[in-house]
Structure formats: C-alpha cells, structure tokens
Amino acid sequence: MTRRDEILKLIVEEFIKTHQPVASKTLLETYRLEVCSATIRSEMNSLEADGYIEKPHTSGGRIPTTAGYRYYVEHLSQGSVDEQAKNALQTVLGEKRKSIEEVMESSCKVLSEMTNLASAVLGQGTSEERLVSVQLIPLSKTTASAIFVTDGGYVENKTFVLDETPGIEAVQKAVGLLDERLRGTPVGELGAKMEAMKSILVDYLLGQEMIYDFLYSALAALSGSRGSVYGADALLSQPEFQDPEAMKELMKALAHPDGLENRLSKLSKRKIGGIDVSIGHGAKNEMSILSTDVKVPGSNAVSLTLLGPTRMDYNKALATLRYFAEQLDSYFNQKGDSEAWTKQSRKKQPTPAKESPSTRKTNSSGKRKAEAPKGRGKASRKD
C-alpha cells in the first residue's frame, strides 16, 4: 500500500484500540515508521483535507471520520478468525438435534461474546407466508392454548384463562371458524379479515370481546418482528454510548428488532466480501452495522447481524461474521431432509398441522465503490 494508505490504516487501528486521538509522534514511536515526523504530519494534513481524518480539538492528534472508516474497511482491512471463535461455534454445531432457533440463538450468543458486539438474527419479512392452521388445545377446564402456524414453519401460541362464560366449547367453536375462514390467508391480511369477522366471532364467544382481542393479538404477532438481539450489554460500557443521546439511540435499536430490521433496509450499505456494511449512523454517527444472510430450511434466508460503535474492530468483526454465516449456511443446508428442521417449532409447541416451506424475498443492497484517498478533493463525511 502507499505511505498515505499505511498512515490512514495505522490511525484507524490505533484509534480503535485506544479511543484516543492519534498524533504523528504516536505513530512514529509505536510503529517505528521509517519516515520523519514532518512527513507523517504532511500525510495526515493531506488525509484531513480530503475528509478521511479530523482533529477533534484545536491541538493534538486526529481521529478517523466515517469516510476514513469506509475506505479502511473496503481497501485496507485484513482479518482472520481466531481459533477460539472457531472452536466455540463448532461446539454449538456439534450438539445434536437442536431446532433451527436454538442453533441460531446459541450461535449469536457466541458471536457476540467473540466480537464484544451486539448480535441479532432477523427475519427477512413474512409477506410470502400464509396461515395453515389455527387450533385450540384445552389444558384444563379453565385454561387453553390457541396455536397459529404458518407455512414457513413459524408457530405463535397464546395461553389464556377462561371464566365459566363462554367456556371452552364456545372458544373452540370460534377458533374452528377462524381455521376455516383464514386458512391460506397471507399473514399480512389476517388482521383485516379477522376484523371483518368480529361480530360473528363475538357472538360465538357469547359477547366476550376480551377473548376476541386475545385471539387477534396472537394473529397480529404472526406478521410482527421475528428478530432477537443478543449481547446488548457488551455495548453499554463503550465510550461512544455514555452520551445520553447516543445511549437512547442504541437502546431504541436494540429493544425493537423489527425497528432494527426496518433501519437496515433503509441504510446506505456497501457489500464487502458478501457482507452489507453500514458505517456511521445514529444521532452522532456513533453506530455501525454489519449484516449477511444465512439460508435456513423453511425460509429463503435470515439476517445475521452485528451492531456496535463506529470504532469497532472491523478486521475481527467482518472475518468472524463471515465465518459464522458460512458455517451456519453449510450446517443447515447439508442436511438431506430439511423437513426435520422445520418440524421443530420456534416455541417448542406441538405442531397441529403439516407445514410446507415458503420462500421469503430478501432485499438486495446497492454497491458503491469507494474512491482512493488521493488528491485534494474534499470527501464527504456523511452518508
């Protein structure tokens, strides 16, 4: 790489490690560069003029801008997966007869631990799924579980307590009507169809609208978020998130996986080695998100995601995420009988009807090639 590239690379990596502005003296003494301090300062001035680094104070060192991080990730980063991460994942994959959800959950927890970032598994949308079954399973004279199943293998269940009125028989009749009228309906249309049936369902339930509302909420959950976030506490100690505004932005992203999924679909991303990379967003450009797809039985793909500060260790994060995605993809798809996976429900509830896999569409992201930091043209510091 050029001397200019080398200096940018060292500034990024030193700042990632220390969270302190990097001065020319630090580079010279720490990395024993074979140039004088004046030459380093000249290159740093050039990088600053082009928008790849900036000076946070009137004096002292420089820190990378979002443009600098992007160029670093696209052209200068090099990483490999350490053996500890490999062994931890292989231990998870070596445990026999786990459901898809259990494998993904365990893998995400390991991924978060190995990278010190928050990890998430997000569904790629439910627009292609249809309802295949609604059943009521009595648990006692006063309790029952309503179970809803989609053709994508997703199961939602709600357990509730009944008074003497309307009783199990009346609820069973109402659920039977739902099964008859809604079977085959796309999940996105379930709410409207059930609303249209409200008067007759409430009659079946002897006027008990509370039970109708209960059943409606279960149907609504089918088209809601399928995401889960792990390792959020790993980010709370990061300096970037000590600011109240930044903390609020982070907690909003982590607390609502559906919101995180929507955020991902709207962000400007660059595809790097099969991974969508979004650097520097949030209230103060304090967050970055890395995401890639994993094919699982019963759907086209789910998104395996890492979220952390813009000052994350991209070398480690990119390499580890890529390795996990490749291993999980191979693990799920080398199985000859994918139906063995889809028969195990997310909620570990008995499957009341046969299920068939569906195909979910995934959003494609645009690619944009970064320009090398050459010349004196001002680079944009924002997305």
Side-chain angles (χ1 to χ4, degrees):
M1 63 182 72
T2 65
R3 181 172 61 200
R4 180 181 165 93
D5 281 352
E6 182 182 10
I7 289 175
L8 176 59
K9 180 177 185 292
L10 294 178
I11 291 172
V12 171
E13 293 178 355
E14 184 68 16
F15 184 68
I16 287 172
K17 287 190 297 184
T18 66
H19 194 235
Q20 296 296 322
V22 182
S24 58
K25 183 178 179 182
T26 301
L27 295 180
L28 188 64
E29 294 178 352
T30 303
Y31 299 99
R32 299 182 180 180
L33 300 180
E34 296 180 355
V35 292
C36 66
S37 181
T39 299
I40 297 175
R41 285 196 298 272
S42 174
E43 295 289 12
M44 291 174 71
N45 289 335
S46 175
L47 287 166
E48 183 177 4
D50 289 340
Y52 292 97
I53 59 176
E54 62 184 355
K55 186 182 294 185
H57 307 292
T58 55
S59 61
R62 271 80 160 184
I63 64 174
T65 64
T66 53
Y69 280 119
R70 292 188 192 111
Y71 183 82
Y72 170 81
V73 169
E74 292 191 48
H75 302 285
L76 307 178
S77 64
Q78 295 176 327
S80 60
V81 187
D82 61 45
E83 291 302 316
Q84 184 181 6
K86 290 182 179 180
N87 293 337
L89 178 61
Q90 294 307 321
T91 297
V92 170
L93 301 184
E95 298 173 359
K96 302 299 182 183
R97 304 317 302 165
K98 275 191 168 186
S99 69
I100 294 172
E101 290 76 25
E102 288 172 324
V103 172
M104 293 302 295
E105 177 181 356
S106 297
S107 300
C108 278
K109 288 178 178 178
V110 171
L111 179 60
S112 179
E113 182 180 348
M114 293 295 108
T115 60
N116 202 34
L117 302 169
S119 65
V121 55
L122 306 173
Q124 291 294 319
T126 59
S127 60
E128 298 297 317
E129 291 188 24
R130 295 176 180 270
L131 186 71
V132 297
S133 176
V134 183
Q135 288 197 13
L136 186 76
I137 299 180
L139 304 176
S140 70
K141 291 182 179 180
T142 58
T143 59
S145 282
I147 298 180
F148 304 80
V149 183
T150 73
D151 61 1
Y154 183 82
V155 177
E156 182 69 30
N157 75 86
K158 295 287 185 180
T159 301
F160 52 96
V161 178
L162 294 169
D163 295 328
E164 292 183 2
T165 302
I168 291 287
E169 294 79 10
V171 180
Q172 189 82 59
K173 186 177 180 182
V175 170
L177 181 64
L178 284 175
D179 185 58
E180 177 185 339
R181 299 282 182 88
L182 299 183
R183 185 179 297 181
T185 301
V187 295
E189 300 174 13
L190 289 172
K193 284 197 172 185
M194 189 168 174
E195 279 288 344
M197 298 169 58
K198 181 174 181 178
S199 60
I200 187 172
L201 287 169
V202 172
D203 285 344
Y204 277 29
L205 296 168
L206 306 182
Q208 296 291 320
E209 289 197 25
M210 181 179 67
I211 298 177
Y212 168 85
D213 293 339
F214 195 90
L215 295 171
Y216 184 89
S217 68
L219 276 179
L222 288 176
S223 56
S225 171
R226 304 286 175 84
S228 300
V229 178
Y230 307 91
D233 56 338
L235 301 183
L236 299 181
S237 61
Q238 298 286 354
E240 288 84 352
F241 302 118
Q242 302 308 303
D243 177 81
E245 190 175 358
M247 173 71 77
K248 182 179 178 180
E249 185 81 11
L250 173 67
M251 297 314 295
K252 182 196 296 187
L254 297 179
H256 303 286
D258 51 342
L260 180 57
E261 193 168 353
N262 291 335
R263 182 194 296 264
L264 276 171
S265 68
K266 297 174 183 178
L267 289 177
S268 173
K269 299 180 286 288
R270 301 182 186 184
K271 184 79 73 173
I272 300 174
I275 296 178
D276 287 324
V277 179
S278 176
I279 296 175
H281 63 92
K284 297 182 177 180
N285 290 335
E286 74 277 1
M287 286 192 290
S288 290
I289 297 179
L290 314 179
S291 183
T292 190
D293 289 345
V294 175
K295 295 180 181 178
V296 298
S299 68
N300 189 39
V302 296
S303 174
L304 189 61
T305 300
L306 281 174
L307 183 146
T310 301
R311 188 186 51 87
M312 71 168 65
D313 185 344
Y314 292 99
N315 284 336
K316 185 174 186 178
L318 285 166
T320 306
L321 178 61
R322 186 178 298 111
Y323 176 80
F324 273 53
E326 290 171 351
Q327 292 297 308
L328 286 166
D329 192 78
S330 175
Y331 177 71
F332 287 130
N333 294 289
Q334 71 182 355
K335 304 291 181 182
D337 183 11
S338 63
E339 292 181 2
W341 289 103
T342 57
K343 286 179 181 177
Q344 301 184 64
S345 73
R346 182 183 302 270
K347 300 289 187 179
K348 297 185 180 180
Q349 295 292 327
T351 303
K354 293 182 179 180
E355 304 145 21
S356 58
S358 68
T359 301
R360 296 180 188 165
K361 295 179 181 179
T362 56
N363 294 326
S364 59
S365 62
K367 299 180 180 180
R368 182 159 58 93
K369 186 176 180 181
E371 297 180 357
K374 295 180 180 180
R376 296 284 178 168
K378 194 73 174 177
S380 173
R381 301 189 185 190
K382 297 182 180 179
D383 282 325

